[in-house]
Each structure stands twice: as C-alpha cells, then as structure tokens.
Amino acid sequence: MNLGDTYMLGWGIRRLSSAVVGLMALFAFAATAGAADYNWKFQSFWQAGTTNQKAFERFAANVGRMSGGRIEIEALSVGAVVPPGEMLDAVKVKIIDGMNGGTGYFVGKDPAFALLADINAGYENPYQQEMWFWHGGGAEIAREIYAKYGLYYLGPVMWGAESIPSKEPLRNVADFKGIKMRAPEGMGAAIFRRLEVGVSTLPGTEVYTALERGKIEATDWGTLGMNDELGYGKIAPYAIYPGIHSMPMADLSINLEIWNSLPDDLKGILEIAAREANRDSLGLNAVLDRSFVAKRDPSTLVNWGSAERRELRAVAQEVWLEWSEKSELAKRVYDSHIAFMTSMGLL
C-alpha cells in the first residue's frame, strides 16, 4: 500500500467515524426530543373546540414547557376514553392518568362532592371561592376526599358565575314562583324547588328545543357566553348577569400512585400549572361573556342587588345544611364554607 492509498484509507475511516458519530448524536437527540420521562393521558368533560377544552389543552402544553419536555400530557376531550361520570374510577385504576373532571358527577360516591363542586348561591364571584379553596381550608379537604378514591387533587378549575336565560325577566326570588325551568338534579334543583319552580331535569341535548317550544321558560346551563353561543338568548332573551345561583368548580387531578412517585420539582410544576389553568379558564370565559354582553340590548341583562342575593342565599342555606348531614365529609366541606363565607361578610 503506497502513501496515497494509506492517506485515502485514513480519510475514509475518518469520514466513516464522523458519520457514525453524527448518526449516534442524531439518534440521541431524537430520543431526547421525542421521549418524555412521563407520558400521560388526561381526559376532560368538555367538548372538543370549546373555550373550556382549550384551557385544558393549554394546561397540558404548559406542563410540557415548564417541565422541559419531561412530562407529556395528551389532553383528551369528553368521552374519548370513558364517560364523564366514570372518570374518577378510571383515574384510580390508571385507565387514564388524570382528568379535568366534573366534580359534581361523583356525588354518588359521597355527597361531599356536591358541596365541593358548587355551594349554590354562596359566593358572589369566583375569586371569593378561589380564596376559600387556597386560603380557607378547601385544598386540604378536597385532597383528602380525592385521596380516598386514589387521586391527588391538583387544583380547581372554574369558569365563572353561571347565568339563567329566561323568557321573562327574573329580578328577585319571587319572580321564580311558578315558572317552568330546566335544572340538573342536585342541590341546585332542590333550591329552585324551594322557590316553587316547576323543575325539569331534561338532558342538555333537549334544552334548546324545550325553550323554543315553550316546555320550559328558563334554564340552568352555563355562563352568559356559553348560553349565547348555543343560541339560548334568541329564544329566551333575558339573562341574569352577573350570575347568582351557580359557580361550579371542576378539578384537575392525577392518579395518587403516579403523584407519589414524582420528584418534587415536577409536583411543583403540576400544581403551578393547575393554578394557571384556573386563571386561564376564568379569563377566557370572562372575555367570552363580555363579547356577548356587547351584542345585547342592555335591558335584557338583569343584575341582582345585594338584598336580592342575600334572600336567595338564605333559601340556599337550608339546602346546604340538608346536604351537609348526608356524610361526615360533606359536613366538613360545609363547615369550611360557612366559616369562610362568614369571615367574608357573606352570611
């Protein structure tokens, strides 16, 4: 072999080595970039494309960014894996790893879920309820309840005070007497029955047609923006705004075994992202509400004063008390709410 051949052989070996090193680096990069330490499926109870589902998807994306790609969450919409009412059990047995669940769907497990999901007519705005959760004992008891079923409660997700679209203005408690109204079964329906409302528990898919045909004159559904997006305002032109009867609180939660196995930095990221998801949901829905307020005749918006709100709250308190007697955990959630609302001057 001459000098030229030796040079060419060495050059070839160097090129081959560089290529091998380059391929190894490429494979290492692909493995690092494409494979998170944790790959989870979380399901919500929201329809794809809705404002609340978008907030849930942003929570998942935020966790991915904040964790530097160590956590990847697939944010699934309602029914993608299991029905909404089965999500608590599905997370417990790791059919899904976590959820943005409708807390009120789990009342059959313990009445405490009802008082945790929505203390109807209690708080005047979602920020008071958020204060109760983080600074009034709500977080501790919520996490105790969820741990009993094998989940860790990361944080609440709210979308604001819900409105009531109606065919005639409802300006006070007395105006509810005798009207026909759709409401989901539970504490809310019990309160409306106390107001002598003819309560119908129609499924959501039948609400529009029932309003249109006069089978009902009002409905408990969502916020002003949610209701007007569905066209309720066209057939039931009046709306109580800001809302007075319902301020639901959903959850972001994760399988407890998974939670316990995580390092502290990732636990912190999940909790911070959950708090941000709540702010995001409230902000997005407030903007949605305002966009529809701007399109309305102001005379169709009914804003209750403090006296009217207190009158409704007094009726609601009777129902809260009844539900608090259904279980030990329900009593503890009730006592926590009452103590905080009293400190805020609401009771």
Side-chain angles (χ1 to χ4, degrees), residues 265-322:
D265 63 327
L266 293 184
K267 288 180 177 178
I269 284 168
L270 285 165
E271 289 184 329
I272 291 168
R275 287 204 187 202
E276 179 57 32
N278 187 48
R279 288 190 287 268
D280 199 24
S281 177
L282 286 170
L284 285 169
N285 279 288
V287 170
L288 182 67
D289 283 355
R290 292 304 306 176
S291 72
F292 281 99
V293 167
K295 300 173 187 177
R296 275 180 167 266
D297 176 346
S299 67
T300 66
L301 298 174
V302 181
N303 185 5
W304 282 30
S306 58
E308 289 77 16
R309 289 171 180 269
R310 283 184 178 274
E311 188 177 3
L312 177 62
R313 194 174 296 125
V315 175
Q317 279 183 263
E318 299 173 4
V319 177
W320 305 342
L321 181 60
E322 288 176 2

Side-chain angles (χ1 to χ4, degrees), residues 8-196:
M8 290 301 293
L9 180 60
W11 179 82
I13 291 171
R14 287 193 298 273
R15 288 291 302 271
L16 181 61
S17 298
S18 296
V20 171
V21 170
L23 284 170
M24 290 175 66
L26 180 62
F27 291 146
F29 173 79
T32 302
D37 295 335
Y38 302 92
N39 287 277
W40 299 328
K41 292 183 186 294
F42 276 42
Q43 183 182 301
S44 80
F45 67 116
W46 301 113
Q47 294 286 348
T50 59
T51 295
N52 292 335
Q53 177 65 14
K54 289 175 184 176
F56 174 52
E57 290 166 359
R58 280 167 34 167
F59 158 77
N62 283 342
V63 169
R65 283 193 295 269
M66 292 166 67
S67 68
R70 294 160 65 194
I71 298 175
E72 185 174 317
I73 297 175
E74 185 179 359
L76 303 168
S77 58
V78 62
V81 181
V82 295
E86 296 177 15
M87 288 201 292
L88 189 76
D89 290 333
V91 175
K92 179 180 180 179
V93 299
K94 299 182 186 176
I95 293 173
I96 52 178
D97 303 294
M99 66 178 181
N100 177 195
T103 308
Y105 285 110
F106 314 129
V107 172
K109 300 285 188 184
D110 193 301
F113 283 103
L115 289 152
L116 186 61
D118 193 353
I119 184 124
N120 296 86
Y123 297 104
E124 293 185 347
N125 61 65
Y127 304 102
Q128 291 174 343
Q129 185 163 268
E130 185 181 34
M131 283 189 284
W132 164 75
F133 188 86
W134 292 115
H135 308 296
E140 292 77 10
I141 192 166
R143 286 171 177 167
E144 182 180 340
I145 292 168
Y146 274 65
K148 182 178 175 183
Y149 297 95
L151 284 76
Y152 182 80
Y153 193 115
L154 294 168
V157 179
M158 295 176 278
W159 48 97
E162 294 191 340
S163 178
I164 296 177
S166 58
K167 296 199 169 187
E168 297 295 333
L170 301 170
R171 303 189 187 281
N172 50 48
V173 165
D175 285 346
F176 276 91
K177 184 176 181 178
I179 70 163
K180 295 175 291 183
M181 178 176 169
R182 182 266 178 188
E185 197 56 71
M187 285 203 305
I191 291 167
F192 289 126
R193 290 187 180 107
R194 294 286 175 95
L195 303 182
E196 299 183 54

Side-chain angles (χ1 to χ4, degrees), residues 213-233:
R213 295 179 179 176
K215 291 182 178 179
I216 56 173
E217 300 157 275
T219 186
D220 175 4
W221 182 256
T223 64
L224 180 78
M226 291 179 187
N227 294 337
D228 280 9
E229 267 192 323
L230 293 171
Y232 293 166

